[in-house]
């Protein structure tokens, strides 16, 4: 699976320990102009998954999921069925990995042609501004995409832990897609088959503290070029923010919940009914932050475009709002957008402009 590589850059964790001043490549003057919401009553919706499994299909909870996917593009899920022991073990192992000496972590370092491994993602030029964070990125599912060269050997339990964690998240992905399909007026299998055997990439993030936190960014604003993302926060330090109504809204994680966001693929397949929302990560001045994001792609034979059943829903012919392309073309478009430094997501690039908009 070709996802493109990333240029080697300094390790931010080491930089944070050794440098008093923030190097110029990390300083973002534009952050001073950003509007961040201070209204604590504005919160990402919370969905109770226990009301959507086992034949429950609670209509009120389905409606909440539908409005969250449509109006927010982000929501949190509780009672999701992923065993606590699996989540806690994954958190413990990734904390152990990031606490190891740099030389040990570099055994899993990225190669020039591959985004997988330990390093930073999407660094494509020597002039590019850099994010204040390190990552370990691994393709976990299906089995045939795994490259064990990038899987840590320390802690010794890491590989088994990640495999079990990824399997549990695949199950949760299926439940979410089934519920979304029903809300979109589709038979669940119509959506599930498009994501069957789809690639799951797991990005484990480490954001060191920064005394000049207001000048740096943990992850630059972006949308996710996938179907669904499931994120868990490893420690209790906030950082994720989403863009809504022109403001950045901090996400306050519910203990034990997964934060879910709609990716570009689902926005396109739903013909824009569900939204892939811009988001970013800010840095704490005193505390490190760790998180684990699992990205779920459609399968490699899928066509990325509005689903025919949605365009003809309720026997009403609807015009497609997005172009349709193959999965491989979609990946190439994503690489091209990265190389050109385009910030807007692929849903935006595939959107069909109407005559009125032109």
């Amino acid at each position: 699976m070709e996802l493109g590589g990333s240029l080697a850059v300094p390790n931010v964790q080491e930089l944070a320990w050794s440098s008093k001043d923030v190097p110029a490549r990390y300083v973002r003057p534009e952050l001073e102009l950003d509007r961040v919401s201070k209204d604590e009553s504005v919160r990402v919706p919370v969905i109770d998954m226990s009301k959507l499994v086992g034949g429950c299909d609670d209509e009120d909870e389905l409606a909440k999921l539908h409005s969250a996917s449509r109006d927010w593009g982000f929501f949190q899920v509780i009672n999701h069925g992923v065993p606590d022991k699996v989540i806690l073990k994954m958190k413990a192992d990734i904390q152990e990995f990031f606490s190891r000496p740099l030389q040990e972590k570099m055994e899993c370092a990225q190669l020039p042609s591959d985004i997988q491994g330990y390093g930073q993602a999407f660094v494509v030029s020597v002039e590019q501004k850099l994010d204040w964070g390190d990552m370990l990125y691994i393709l976990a599912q299906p089995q045939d995409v795994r490259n064990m060269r990038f899987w840590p050997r320390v802690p010794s339990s890491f590989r088994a832990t990640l495999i079990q964690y990824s399997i549990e998240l695949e199950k949760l992905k299926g439940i979410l897609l089934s519920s979304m399909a029903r809300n979109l007026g589709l038979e669940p299998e119509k959506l599930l088959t498009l994501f069957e055997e789809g690639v799951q990439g797991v990005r484990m993030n480490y954001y060191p503290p920064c005394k000049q936190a207001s000048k740096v960014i943990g992850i630059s604003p972006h949308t996710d070029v996938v179907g669904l993302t499931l994120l868990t926060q490893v420690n209790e330090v906030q950082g994720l923010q989403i863009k809504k109504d022109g403001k950045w809204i901090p996400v306050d994680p519910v203990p034990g919940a997964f934060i879910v966001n709609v990716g570009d693929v689902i926005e396109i397949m739903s013909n824009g009914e569900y939204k892939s929302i811009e988001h970013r990560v800010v840095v704490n001045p005193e505390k490190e932050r760790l998180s684990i994001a699992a990205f779920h792609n459609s399968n490699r034979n899928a066509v990325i475009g509005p689903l025919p059943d949605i365009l003809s829903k309720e026997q009403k012919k609807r015009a497609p709002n997005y172009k349709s392309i193959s999965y491989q073309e979609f990946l190439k478009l994503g690489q091209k957008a990265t190389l050109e430094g385009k910030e807007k997501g692929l849903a935006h690039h595939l959107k069909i402009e109407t005559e009125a908009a032109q």
Side-chain angles (χ1 to χ4, degrees), residues 1-219:
M1 181 183 179
E2 295 295 331
L3 292 174
S6 187
L7 298 179
V9 293
N11 179 267
V12 182
Q13 191 173 1
E14 293 292 312
L15 190 64
W17 290 340
S18 62
S19 178
K20 292 183 180 179
D21 298 317
V22 177
R25 283 190 75 184
Y26 296 89
V27 176
R28 307 291 187 100
E30 69 274 11
L31 294 176
E32 296 180 6
L33 304 175
D34 288 340
R35 299 168 63 204
V36 179
S37 173
K38 300 185 184 301
D39 186 349
E40 296 185 359
S41 67
V42 180
R43 293 178 177 271
V44 171
V46 178
I47 308 299
D48 186 347
M49 295 301 293
S50 68
K51 297 180 180 180
L52 301 177
V53 296
C56 293
D57 290 345
D58 183 280
E59 293 298 326
D60 290 339
E61 210 64 23
L62 276 172
K64 282 177 62 178
L65 174 62
H66 185 55
S67 63
S69 304
R70 181 190 63 212
D71 302 332
W72 284 82
F74 266 81
F75 50 91
Q76 301 192 59
V77 293
I78 59 173
N79 298 323
H80 42 66
V82 180
D84 288 344
K85 65 178 182 180
V86 173
I87 299 172
L88 292 174
K89 182 59 176 166
M90 187 71 251
K91 290 182 177 182
D93 280 6
I94 197 57
Q95 285 179 303
E96 170 68 12
F97 171 79
F98 281 118
S99 73
R100 306 302 298 174
L102 179 60
Q103 184 176 354
E104 284 188 29
K105 289 180 288 198
M106 290 302 291
E107 292 177 6
C108 305
Q110 291 172 315
L111 299 176
S113 60
D114 202 324
I115 193 177
Q116 290 190 86
Y118 179 63
Q120 273 203 17
F122 309 123
V123 181
V124 295
S125 79
V126 294
E127 293 87 16
Q128 180 181 336
K129 287 289 187 178
L130 300 176
D131 292 340
W132 191 261
D134 302 315
M135 68 153 199
L136 174 65
Y137 185 81
I138 290 174
L139 298 182
Q141 296 289 346
Q143 185 173 342
D144 67 353
V145 302
R146 295 175 190 160
N147 185 340
M148 305 312 288
R149 179 245 181 270
F150 301 110
W151 292 55
R153 297 182 181 275
V154 178
S156 59
S157 58
F158 182 93
R159 295 183 174 188
T161 299
L162 179 55
I163 289 172
Q164 185 58 47
Y165 182 80
S166 68
I167 290 171
E168 293 294 339
L169 263 59
E170 283 289 315
K171 296 176 186 176
L172 178 55
K173 174 200 75 175
I175 297 169
L176 285 165
L177 288 174
S178 293
S179 297
M180 287 179 163
R182 283 192 283 271
N183 279 332
L184 290 168
L186 302 171
E187 289 294 327
E189 288 301 317
K190 293 277 187 177
L191 201 53
L192 287 171
T193 53
L194 292 170
F195 286 84
E196 188 175 359
E197 292 295 304
V199 172
Q200 180 201 74
V202 181
R203 174 172 171 157
M204 292 146 276
N205 303 296
Y206 181 90
Y207 307 102
C210 180
K211 295 295 184 184
Q212 298 172 286
S214 62
K215 295 183 178 181
V216 301
I217 196 80
I219 294 183

Side-chain angles (χ1 to χ4, degrees), residues 295-346:
F295 304 102
H296 296 88
N297 297 272
S298 59
N299 65 53
R300 288 163 273 186
N301 296 318
V303 173
I304 310 301
L307 298 179
D309 285 10
I310 286 179
L311 296 180
S312 60
K313 189 165 61 174
E314 297 174 355
Q315 298 181 339
K316 295 178 181 178
K317 188 71 174 177
R318 301 184 182 188
N321 294 323
Y322 304 86
K323 301 173 185 176
S324 294
I325 60 175
S326 71
Y327 178 76
Q328 294 303 324
E329 289 175 312
F330 189 75
L331 288 182
K332 290 177 183 177
L333 183 61
Q335 293 173 13
K336 183 173 183 287
T338 299
L339 289 170
E340 294 177 355
K342 294 179 179 178
E343 295 182 356
K344 292 187 177 180
L346 292 194

Side-chain angles (χ1 to χ4, degrees), residues 69 73 75 173 176-177 180 191 194-195 198-201 223-230 260-270 274-277 294-299 304 327 330:
S69 304
F75 50 91
K173 174 200 75 175
L176 285 165
L177 288 174
M180 287 179 163
L191 201 53
L194 292 170
F195 286 84
V199 172
Q200 180 201 74
T223 62
D224 290 348
V225 190
V226 295
L228 284 178
T229 301
L230 278 66
V260 181
N261 65 279
V262 173
D264 292 345
V265 171
I266 290 293
E267 175 174 333
I268 293 166
M269 288 183 172
S270 71
Y274 290 168
K275 298 296 189 294
S276 179
I277 299 297
F295 304 102
H296 296 88
N297 297 272
S298 59
N299 65 53
I304 310 301
Y327 178 76
F330 189 75

